[in-house]
Amino acid sequence: MSFILKFILSAIVTYLLATFLPGAYIRGFTDAMILVVVLAVLNAVVKPILQIIGLPITILTLGLFLFVINALIIMLASYLMAGFEINGFLSALLFSIVLSLANSVVDLVVD
């Protein structure tokens, strides 16, 4: 039950973020639900590969390069989905930071 609740709350947060943040556009709530699934798959498959490739830069920047990796994942999701658009790297960076914070709050509330 908590998995479904987290999924729905994450989709709501994603929809609201794409609606209110500048540079982000989402077509509807169903696209937000699809975006949550796409981001989960990309975080499970592509993100570990990017983290291994970027490990030296991550060490040099004391972990700040992970923000760049998160923004790249958001941009890749925008490229893969027709109903979600992100305008530029800074918009993706802002979207990924706020989405991470919001999902942390959702995880704290549901668990």
Side-chain angles (χ1 to χ4, degrees):
M1 181 68 181
S2 68
F3 172 75
I4 295 170
L5 185 60
K6 282 183 186 181
F7 175 75
I8 292 171
L9 288 175
S10 295
I12 291 170
V13 165
T14 304
Y15 179 73
L16 291 174
L17 287 179
T19 303
F20 292 116
L21 286 181
Y25 169 76
I26 198 156
R27 194 173 13 191
F29 186 70
T30 55
D31 286 325
M33 291 191 304
I34 295 169
L35 178 62
V36 169
V37 173
V38 168
L39 286 175
V41 170
L42 289 175
N43 282 331
V45 176
V46 177
K47 190 174 181 177
I49 296 168
L50 290 177
Q51 286 176 338
I52 290 171
I53 292 171
L55 184 63
I57 299 170
T58 304
I59 292 171
L60 286 175
T61 61
L62 302 175
L64 292 177
F65 190 69
L66 294 175
F67 289 122
V68 174
I69 292 174
N70 285 338
L72 291 174
I73 295 293
I74 296 292
M75 292 178 76
L76 183 59
S78 172
Y79 176 75
L80 293 174
M81 286 189 57
F84 175 64
E85 295 294 325
I86 231 34
N87 297 330
F89 178 76
L90 289 178
S91 296
L93 184 64
L94 179 64
F95 188 86
S96 69
I97 290 171
V98 177
L99 183 63
S100 296
L101 291 173
N103 279 337
S104 296
V105 171
V106 167
D107 286 343
L108 285 175
V109 169
V110 173
D111 289 339

